[in-house]
């Protein structure tokens, strides 16, 4: 229930600010395609898709700030070929993501806006939700348990969006900045990158 309580609390807080000029707030849902970039030659990665939802707010006019709180799943599918043996690994974790985006309206009309956005985000992984599934545990896998995953991940987001009346549609790319690997091999790097599409409704 904690993710729902956090999202509801943010919604109530911003609703109290609704008298601010050039302010809007609303719910959003999205779909992300996650890929784990790995610097280990024997390991390859494929995309993994997940749904997410949250709440966003905007402050400002042609240039604006957009904070969000999103509940999502971070995941990745990996394949390792070691000594001619192929094994698979899947990593999953639910989390609370907090982006703070800066946007600029390229087209600013009463019924149509075209926007570009960029900004950082941090995702706090929910510890009890972490999962590491390996088809055959061997020495080729640096990540062997949930203890090998960090709890907080920083990313850089950039993309574009369009508003038609009260409906807002965005496409973002999220570049992982944090090495999610927390194990004993210091040169090993796993970074989570993803494409995200989202649909929101401006309630205020």
């Amino acid at each position: 229930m904690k993710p729902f309580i956090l999202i509801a609390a943010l919604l109530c807080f911003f609703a109290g600010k609704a008298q601010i000029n050039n302010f809007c707030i609303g719910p959003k849902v999205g779909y992300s395609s996650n890929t784990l970039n790995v610097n280990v030659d024997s390991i390859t990665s494929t995309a993994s898709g997940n749904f997410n939802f949250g709440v966003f707010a905007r402050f400002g006019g042609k240039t604006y700030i957009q904070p969000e709180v999103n509940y999502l799943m971070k995941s990745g599918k990996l394949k390792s070929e070691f000594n001619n043996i192929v094994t698979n690994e899947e990593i999953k974790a639910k989390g609370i993501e907090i982006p703070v985006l800066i946007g600029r309206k390229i087209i600013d009309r009463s019924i149509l806006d075209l926007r570009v956005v960029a900004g950082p985000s941090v995702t706090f992984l929910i510890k009890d939700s972490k999962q590491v599934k390996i088809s055959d545990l061997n020495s080729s896998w640096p990540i062997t348990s949930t203890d090998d995953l960090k709890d907080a991940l920083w990313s850089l987001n950039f993309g574009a969006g369009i508003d038609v009346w009260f409906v807002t549609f965005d496409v973002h790319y999220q570049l992982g900045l944090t090495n999610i690997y927390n194990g004993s091999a210091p040169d090993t790097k796993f970074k989570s990158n993803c494409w995200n599409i989202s649909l929101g409704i401006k309630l205020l």
Side-chain angles (χ1 to χ4, degrees):
M1 290 298 293
K2 289 182 180 180
F4 301 96
I5 294 172
L6 181 59
I7 291 171
L10 187 75
L11 181 61
C12 292
F13 172 78
F14 284 126
K17 307 293 185 180
Q19 299 304 315
I20 299 175
N21 290 333
N22 296 316
F23 170 85
C24 69
I25 187 172
K28 57 175 292 192
V29 295
Y31 180 83
S32 61
S33 177
N34 300 272
T35 303
L36 285 177
N37 281 4
V38 188
N39 70 336
V40 179
D41 292 339
S42 61
I43 298 176
T44 57
S45 176
T46 57
S48 177
N50 300 284
F51 289 96
N52 56 77
F53 64 91
V55 61
F56 71 96
R58 288 185 196 157
F59 302 88
K62 194 161 187 176
T63 299
Y64 62 90
I65 297 175
Q66 179 170 315
E68 301 179 8
V69 176
N70 301 311
Y71 180 62
L72 47 71
M73 172 81 77
K74 288 283 190 182
S75 63
K77 294 180 180 180
L78 304 171
K79 181 174 74 173
S80 173
E81 186 170 353
F82 185 72
N83 289 335
N84 295 321
I85 298 175
V86 176
T87 55
N88 297 291
E89 179 176 45
E90 185 173 13
I91 297 170
K92 293 183 177 181
K94 297 175 183 177
I96 300 295
E97 178 193 55
I98 304 175
V100 178
L101 307 174
I102 297 176
R104 177 73 176 177
K105 295 178 182 178
I106 306 302
I107 298 175
D108 187 5
R109 300 289 186 267
S110 59
I111 63 170
L112 177 68
D113 293 339
L114 178 63
R115 305 169 282 102
V116 292
V117 295
S121 65
V122 59
T123 301
F124 299 100
L125 299 181
I126 300 171
K127 188 173 183 180
D128 294 341
S129 73
K130 294 180 180 179
Q131 299 178 34
V132 176
K133 298 179 181 179
I134 304 175
S135 62
D136 183 22
L137 183 62
N138 58 57
S139 59
S140 68
W141 292 114
I143 295 178
T144 59
S145 73
T146 57
D147 292 335
D148 294 328
L149 301 175
K150 291 182 180 176
D151 295 325
L153 312 178
W154 285 92
S155 303
L156 180 63
N157 306 270
F158 49 92
I162 187 171
D163 295 351
V164 180
W165 282 299
F166 58 88
V167 178
T168 176
F169 177 78
D170 286 82
V171 178
H172 294 173
Y173 182 73
Q174 186 177 82
L175 178 66
L177 302 177
T178 300
N179 180 11
I180 70 173
Y181 177 67
N182 196 39
S184 58
D187 295 330
T188 302
K189 290 181 172 58
F190 287 75
K191 294 186 178 181
S192 176
N193 300 329
C194 77
W195 283 98
N196 184 72
I197 58 173
S198 64
L199 185 68
I201 298 175
K202 295 185 285 187
L203 299 179
L204 296 173

